[in-house]
Amino acid sequence: MEVIEEMKLACSLNLLEYIGWKEEYPEEAKAAFEEFCIRYDQAVVKAAEIFCYKWNLTETVALDIVNCTFARVWKYHTYNHEKSKSKEVDTGIRRWLNRIAYTQLANYTNRGTCHEPDIETDLSLIYSLDELVDKTTDDEITRKELRKQLKVLDDVIAQLGEKHRIIYLTYKLYAPAGKNIPRSVSKKLQNELELVPGSIRKYKEQAIKQVENFLNRNYGS
Amino acid sequence: MAAKKKSNNINADRFDELLAIAGYIYPRNDKELEQFELLYENYDFKLKNVRINPEEIINQSFEKKGKVLRLRNDEEQQDINELRIAARKGNEHIPQSILEKMKRKHNDEDK
């Protein structure tokens, strides 16, 4: 009881540290994990539902992804706030959890087990990407303008076929700088979509071209 | 007019930013996360108030329930609507394009 009360007052970074003591102090680690789940599960559940909705997957899959995300936290509490570009610990942890959720989503299969990422496929380890996108838009836009832009975005994505969309978004996640995607992710795409590597490249190029054409045609970018 | 131009100014960088704000990819910085969470503040979540069970996670006893049921896309919905109309009218033929699609789908499932 005392342990639980103590955990309620602990900073989230400390909770992650206590989770790492599961061998030496299992009771404290368990209490820390329970408190960590109470603090963050709602944010991850909501995010996962949106992510799945955008990838044309159901909320059943979203729930799997949330469980797998927290299973990952229990196993490897690897959040490093110094590497994160977030000002607040809480924001940094939510971003880290979203990346773990996305690792699970992008590698989701119906095998009945969570994806065990390696160093290449674990999106939660990508910190360098933050530097690429640090240049946020120079002018604040209104909510109405943002909604208008998001409507455009949905129109663009909606015009891609199922395979084009999956390939396009997977490349966006794993190869933001136009590099190759990890071999195991590529393998998964081949299996799931029943395509050979050459076809995947073709689909990717077509999708990029389609997005570019749409933007050029309608918005003169 | 100027405002219209501003809201339509979507270049490749902005497009990626929008992908993150909308949830197609994960939010890559604090600002994107803030906008993502704001955007869906009043969204009608199906998993509202769903809590996870830490005990099941620790014991690895949670079950993956997921069947990857894809939501219907617009094209499929269109096909279904056409089929409905054909079924209602009864005396009309099902469009050839739909028949071919059904055949293709059927063959795919047999593989």
Side-chain angles (χ1 to χ4, degrees):
Chain A
M1 200 63 201
E2 207 178 298
V3 173
I4 292 171
E5 288 308 311
E6 212 176 302
M7 292 306 165
K8 279 182 183 165
L9 301 172
C11 149
S12 296
L13 286 179
N14 289 342
L15 289 179
L16 285 168
E17 200 175 324
Y18 303 151
I19 290 168
W21 296 350
K22 48 184 161 299
E23 302 297 329
E24 307 89 330
Y25 304 104
E27 193 196 341
E28 283 79 1
K30 185 170 172 269
F33 183 65
E34 281 170 356
E35 177 60 28
F36 187 86
C37 291
I38 287 168
R39 285 185 199 181
Y40 294 104
D41 72 349
Q42 284 294 284
V44 182
V45 164
K46 285 178 175 177
E49 187 175 329
I50 298 294
F51 296 161
C52 285
Y53 171 65
K54 292 294 181 185
W55 282 59
N56 274 6
L57 297 163
T58 61
E59 67 276 6
T60 317
V61 176
L63 202 49
D64 283 347
I65 280 164
V66 175
N67 278 321
C68 290
T69 298
F70 282 93
R72 189 92 196 138
V73 173
W74 173 247
K75 219 167 167 177
Y76 307 104
H77 48 287
T78 53
Y79 176 67
N80 183 338
H81 191 61
E82 282 166 22
K83 280 190 178 174
S84 162
K85 289 232 163 189
S86 290
K87 290 185 190 75
E88 306 291 330
V89 166
D90 189 53
T91 312
I93 289 176
R94 289 207 311 282
R95 281 178 49 207
W96 173 65
L97 290 169
N98 280 348
R99 287 189 209 168
I100 299 175
Y102 244 114
T103 303
Q104 292 298 327
L105 170 71
N107 295 281
Y108 188 86
T109 61
N110 263 328
R111 271 204 322 266
T113 53
C114 300
H115 173 64
E116 285 289 342
D118 53 25
I119 200 150
E120 263 197 316
T121 60
D122 191 348
L123 290 163
S124 71
L125 298 176
I126 298 175
Y127 287 101
S128 56
L129 185 60
D130 295 0
E131 286 151 35
L132 288 175
V133 294
D134 234 16
K135 47 176 190 324
T136 49
T137 41
D138 45 3
D139 54 348
E140 292 294 323
I141 62 166
T142 66
R143 224 180 150 88
K144 193 176 162 198
E145 282 167 345
L146 177 63
R147 286 200 180 280
K148 219 187 274 183
Q149 291 193 342
L150 288 166
K151 171 77 180 72
V152 172
L153 174 82
D154 283 336
D155 288 347
V156 179
I157 300 295
Q159 49 132 24
L160 297 174
E162 182 77 1
K163 287 179 181 176
H164 282 93
R165 201 184 57 246
I166 291 170
I167 291 166
Y168 178 77
L169 291 174
T170 305
Y171 268 85
K172 278 282 172 202
L173 283 177
Y174 277 103
K179 296 192 190 91
N180 290 332
I181 55 173
R183 197 183 295 262
S184 51
V185 177
S186 166
K187 200 104 200 107
K188 183 192 167 271
L189 280 178
Q190 289 168 44
N191 293 338
E192 295 267 315
L193 304 176
E194 294 175 341
L195 294 170
V196 295
S199 302
I200 290 177
R201 265 198 307 278
K202 206 85 206 122
Y203 271 92
K204 181 194 70 169
E205 285 160 15
Q206 285 172 347
I208 290 170
K209 198 99 212 104
Q210 246 176 299
V211 170
E212 277 174 4
N213 287 346
F214 187 97
L215 290 178
N216 286 334
R217 211 170 42 239
N218 296 281
Y219 305 95
S221 88
Chain B
M1 196 65 199
K4 190 171 191 286
K5 194 165 188 264
K6 185 180 158 188
S7 69
N8 283 351
N9 184 16
I10 303 177
N11 56 22
D13 279 348
R14 178 60 182 157
F15 192 77
D16 285 359
E17 209 172 34
L18 290 171
L19 282 174
I21 294 167
Y24 287 104
I25 59 174
Y26 58 84
R28 303 160 303 168
N29 56 32
D30 288 6
K31 191 180 171 187
E32 285 175 0
L33 179 66
E34 187 192 345
Q35 292 195 305
F36 168 73
E37 288 176 345
L38 262 176
L39 181 69
Y40 294 108
E41 216 176 13
N42 302 316
Y43 182 83
D44 185 19
F45 287 96
K46 290 192 174 74
L47 299 176
K48 212 181 300 187
N49 304 325
V50 166
R51 309 296 319 231
I52 59 163
N53 184 338
E55 194 78 44
E56 282 185 354
I57 289 172
I58 291 169
N59 303 334
Q60 295 183 21
S61 59
F62 70 89
E63 245 184 288
K64 263 186 89 183
K65 297 178 178 67
K67 220 181 158 45
V68 184
L69 295 170
R70 299 200 183 284
L71 305 172
R72 277 185 204 133
N73 60 29
D74 292 345
E75 196 188 352
E76 272 178 333
Q77 195 56 55
Q78 181 65 31
D79 294 349
I80 288 162
N81 290 344
E82 285 187 46
L83 275 171
R84 274 200 189 126
I85 291 165
R88 260 205 312 270
K89 291 189 174 177
N91 56 352
E92 284 215 355
H93 290 299
I94 292 170
Q96 190 57 34
S97 61
I98 303 280
L99 280 173
E100 276 168 16
K101 269 188 198 170
M102 285 164 74
K103 212 156 129 184
R104 266 206 311 274
K105 207 168 162 52
H106 185 71
N107 289 343
D108 284 348
E109 280 166 3
D110 280 352
K111 274 178 191 171

